[in-house]
Amino acid sequence: QILQLSDNSILTLCDNSFTGLVGLTQLNLAHNYIQALNSRWLSPLESLSSLYLNNNDITTIHSGAFDDLKELENLDLTENPLNCDCELAYFKDWSSHHRSSNARDR
């Protein structure tokens, strides 16, 4: 299942925005105005393999934002003004672990 929400002027998402979409495999939120990735709004998307968040206004990725996305293989965060601060340390650690886990699975 694919959900195409790009170019919709989305500013933020609620914690229950994707409740019930457990079979979703691709989510495109590119070219919106999202500023932060919350730790809860992605959690229902256990089957998600591709997530496109490019060309938003994302400055912050909260701790735990990607923890429930066990099937994620493609993540696009290009063209976002990420803040290089302590909050971003979570993403660095997640990215390093996720990349090495995927390499072992192949």
Side-chain angles (χ1 to χ4, degrees):
Q1 292 178 329
I2 299 170
L3 182 56
Q4 174 64 266
L5 295 173
S6 63
D7 295 299
N8 276 294
S9 300
I10 297 170
L11 294 171
T12 188
L13 294 161
C14 300
D15 289 349
N16 61 354
S17 294
F18 301 110
T19 300
L21 299 177
V22 293
L24 192 67
T25 58
Q26 292 183 29
L27 176 58
N28 190 340
L29 288 163
H31 299 275
N32 283 294
Y33 300 102
I34 300 168
Q35 297 176 358
L37 299 182
N38 186 306
S39 60
R40 284 175 255 147
W41 63 265
L42 290 171
S43 59
L45 304 177
E46 298 171 354
S47 300
L48 199 67
S49 61
S50 297
L51 177 58
Y52 303 98
L53 292 163
N54 50 297
N55 295 89
N56 274 282
D57 294 327
I58 299 169
T59 57
T60 304
I61 299 174
H62 293 286
S63 182
F66 299 114
D67 287 354
D68 295 323
L69 303 181
K70 307 296 185 204
E71 302 298 319
L72 193 64
E73 295 176 3
N74 302 305
L75 174 62
D76 190 347
L77 284 166
T78 57
E79 301 300 323
N80 280 291
L82 292 170
N83 286 336
C84 188
D85 58 13
C86 293
E87 194 79 44
L88 198 57
Y90 156 78
F91 178 67
K92 179 187 175 291
D93 292 342
W94 177 87
S95 178
S96 296
H97 173 65
H98 189 73
R99 184 173 25 247
S100 62
S101 294
N102 281 349
R104 280 196 307 269
D105 292 342
R106 289 184 186 154

